[in-house]
Amino acid sequence: MTSFQEILSKKSLFKDPSVLSPHYVPSELPFREAQIKEIMEILSSALKNQKPRNLFIYGKTGTGKTCSVKHVMDKFNNYDSNSVMMYLNCRIYNSRYRVLQKIMKQFVPELDKSGFGLPFFYEKLVEELGKSKQLIVVLDEIDMVKDLDELVYTLTRANDEVKVGGITIIGISNKLSFKNELDPRSRSSLYEAELIFPPYTSVQLQHILLQRIGIGFENNCVEPSAINLAAAITAQECGDARYALKLILKAGEIAQQNGRQQVTDEHVELARKKVELDLAAETIALLPDNLKIVLYAIASITQNGSRYSRLDGLEEGFLFSGEVYEEYAKVSNILHKKPRSVRWYKEYLNDLEMLGLLTSTPSGKGVRGHTTLIKLGYPAADIVDLLKHSLHL
DNA sequence: CCTCCACAGGAAGCGCAGGAGT
DNA sequence: ACTCCTGCGCTTCCTGTGGAGG
């Protein structure tokens, strides 16, 4: 019989687990001094009231892009000047309209609601910059902006119109290919300066882990070889620092549940499987309902077996786009929601694929003509479980 | 060869929310 | 109070595509 006494008497391995969370911003960013310095140098001209060059930052997820920029932003905004630096994530502000609205909300608070036209925002912006202001706008995940060409054009035009102030864009993206999709004109204005954040190497990850473990864990609770293993796994997978931190956090939790005093290689290996799913769960939780339903439909067919793909001798786990839509419509009805049209469902599929939750391939040679084959990116049972709760099924 | 299937994805346009101007 | 405007999510309609099957 378990008692609270028993649980509480177990010595905790953690001093402060929040240090391991991805939201924790460390005061020191190891291996990013050079990048931070370069950003600061570019932005410094704003403090002399000259418009800095636009900056584009590229690097894979978890290479410290956002962290570094926010770090600089703190320093910038604490420096007494007529300039303002602001951060927005384009996953939320994903159109020219929304970005402009968000920017202007800083200066005119009642602009929260919709209904104002773009020209109105533009006028306000020019007016505001006219007060000899230097405005720095950080656009994180800039590739999410649907009409980026227009946005860049609008902003550069605003720059031309004012004599004194100016607006500078710092774009952040982890999509390399996106550069080629841009209109050449907006490309050249967006890429006035470019900065690349390389993935962390195994050795660098070891340092980062050591730094955080020192604050987050009790002393000597993590075996050095476990740290090395976590760093090596991460470097091989992606070089994403957040992944490494999550890995060591989960390993710690597993060790603790098993009543161990130390985190070992074995715990890191066990954590590895959990972390992948955990990261997926985070993205899934933020999904709009319809995307969740589509994903649920895919997972549930995968779990219960496909009526068609099996008899067509298809590789396990691949589904037809058509049968997924049928299932999606069915589940929608159960939830008393009107299913969206096929056309829009296809957009949903694209979104889900973009987020890495599924993969799809055109069927090519196969039975029943032409279709898209869909495969879930994670174990179906786990996804079903996850979504059953969040959809109240 | 033609036609049908099962899709992809562009174009137009609709309803809604929430302004502005009158 | 009314009309008109805008952005956005979405539907409707359409054309295109490559293999299957007659």
Side-chain angles (χ1 to χ4, degrees):
Chain A
M1 195 54 137
T2 316
S3 68
F4 283 117
Q5 182 65 43
E6 200 180 321
I7 293 171
L8 289 173
S9 68
K10 270 185 199 164
K11 192 169 142 258
S12 174
L13 299 175
F14 295 106
K15 211 186 296 174
D16 180 7
S18 73
V19 177
L20 285 317
S21 101
H23 305 294
Y24 177 82
V25 182
S27 51
E28 293 289 318
L29 282 157
F31 315 109
R32 288 298 176 248
E33 292 91 354
Q35 282 85 354
I36 288 176
K37 188 166 169 239
E38 185 156 355
I39 298 171
M40 288 176 77
E41 264 168 25
I42 289 171
L43 293 186
S44 63
S45 53
L47 303 172
K48 295 181 281 180
N49 206 7
Q50 288 161 5
K51 193 195 114 44
R53 284 176 291 160
N54 288 334
L55 172 64
F56 188 86
I57 296 175
Y58 166 78
K60 289 189 180 168
T61 43
T63 48
K65 305 183 294 295
T66 306
C67 235
S68 299
V69 170
K70 282 192 169 172
H71 189 82
V72 172
M73 188 162 79
D74 275 352
K75 290 190 185 176
F76 188 90
N77 285 335
N78 281 329
Y79 191 91
D80 189 33
S81 76
N82 202 16
S83 312
V84 185
M85 183 164 172
M86 55 188 295
Y87 170 91
L88 37 149
N89 188 312
C90 297
R91 194 178 287 266
I92 298 150
Y93 305 101
N94 61 355
S95 70
R96 173 173 56 154
Y97 184 83
R98 285 179 183 175
V99 168
L100 240 44
Q101 176 176 260
K102 177 67 181 171
I103 293 173
M104 293 323 294
K105 211 176 126 186
Q106 287 264 312
F107 306 109
V108 196
E110 59 276 18
L111 251 57
D112 206 351
K113 300 151 192 167
S114 64
F116 295 98
L118 268 171
F120 180 77
F121 290 140
Y122 183 77
E123 290 297 321
K124 280 281 174 201
L125 177 65
V126 171
E127 189 184 306
E128 208 55 46
L129 295 177
K131 299 173 188 167
S132 81
K133 238 175 212 158
Q134 289 294 336
L135 188 59
I136 320 269
V137 184
V138 180
L139 299 176
D140 203 351
E141 303 192 67
I142 194 170
D143 47 295
M144 300 296 281
V145 179
K146 282 174 277 185
D147 48 1
L148 187 58
D149 287 325
E150 284 87 348
L151 175 64
V152 173
Y153 176 72
T154 307
L155 294 183
T156 41
R157 208 167 52 123
N159 267 327
D160 294 342
E161 202 165 311
V162 288
K163 297 125 259 165
V164 275
I167 183 163
T168 304
I169 308 169
I170 298 184
I172 304 179
S173 170
N174 52 28
K175 242 179 95 186
L176 194 54
S177 63
F178 136 91
K179 186 175 179 177
N180 305 322
E181 293 162 20
L182 275 176
D183 182 283
R185 274 184 309 174
S186 32
R187 193 189 311 162
S188 61
S189 54
L190 201 54
Y191 285 76
E192 285 170 359
E194 195 175 354
L195 198 55
I196 291 169
F197 280 60
Y200 294 111
T201 65
S202 176
V203 178
Q204 290 174 335
L205 286 166
Q206 280 176 36
H207 277 88
I208 294 171
L209 283 175
L210 270 171
Q211 179 205 30
R212 301 282 189 102
I213 288 169
I215 321 173
F217 279 86
E218 295 290 349
N219 287 339
N220 304 321
C221 274
V222 186
E223 281 188 357
S225 76
I227 298 175
N228 293 351
L229 179 63
I233 290 173
T234 307
Q236 197 192 355
E237 289 269 328
C238 51
D240 181 343
R242 280 177 311 192
Y243 184 92
L245 290 166
K246 202 136 205 163
L247 198 55
I248 214 76
L249 175 66
K250 274 267 176 277
E253 284 169 10
I254 292 171
Q256 183 148 321
Q257 272 162 29
N258 295 344
R260 301 303 179 79
Q261 301 297 311
Q262 276 211 315
V263 180
T264 64
D265 287 14
E266 190 196 342
H267 299 133
V268 173
E269 280 293 351
L270 286 170
R272 188 177 182 170
K273 291 185 193 80
K274 281 202 155 192
V275 168
E276 308 245 340
L277 193 65
D278 223 60
L279 289 170
E282 272 173 33
T283 23
I284 289 172
L286 297 172
L287 253 35
D289 274 2
N290 275 310
L291 283 174
K292 285 186 189 171
I293 301 173
V294 172
L295 195 64
Y296 176 80
I298 297 167
S300 102
I301 301 177
T302 308
Q303 196 177 31
N304 299 329
S306 155
R307 274 176 296 149
Y308 307 110
S309 6
R310 183 169 301 163
L311 93 223
D312 288 331
L314 227 57
E315 198 186 319
E316 188 71 24
F318 279 100
L319 309 175
F320 290 118
S321 158
E323 64 174 332
V324 170
Y325 181 73
E326 280 171 33
E327 181 69 18
Y328 156 72
K330 214 172 90 190
V331 177
S332 288
N333 285 325
I334 293 171
L335 291 166
H336 306 291
K337 285 169 70 89
K338 197 178 165 242
R340 302 295 170 216
S341 66
V342 187
R343 182 68 187 81
W344 207 247
Y345 152 78
K346 279 183 257 183
E347 300 292 330
Y348 287 157
L349 279 187
N350 283 338
D351 289 351
L352 288 173
E353 183 165 22
M354 212 82 92
L355 291 167
L357 294 169
L358 57 87
T359 49
S360 75
T361 39
S363 66
K365 244 186 248 177
V367 197
R368 309 203 324 161
H370 205 222
T371 182
T372 304
L373 299 173
I374 301 163
K375 189 177 166 69
L376 198 59
Y378 296 88
D382 294 323
I383 302 289
V384 168
D385 229 46
L386 218 64
L387 286 169
K388 246 192 184 135
H389 290 107
S390 95
L391 288 172
H392 311 293
L393 268 160

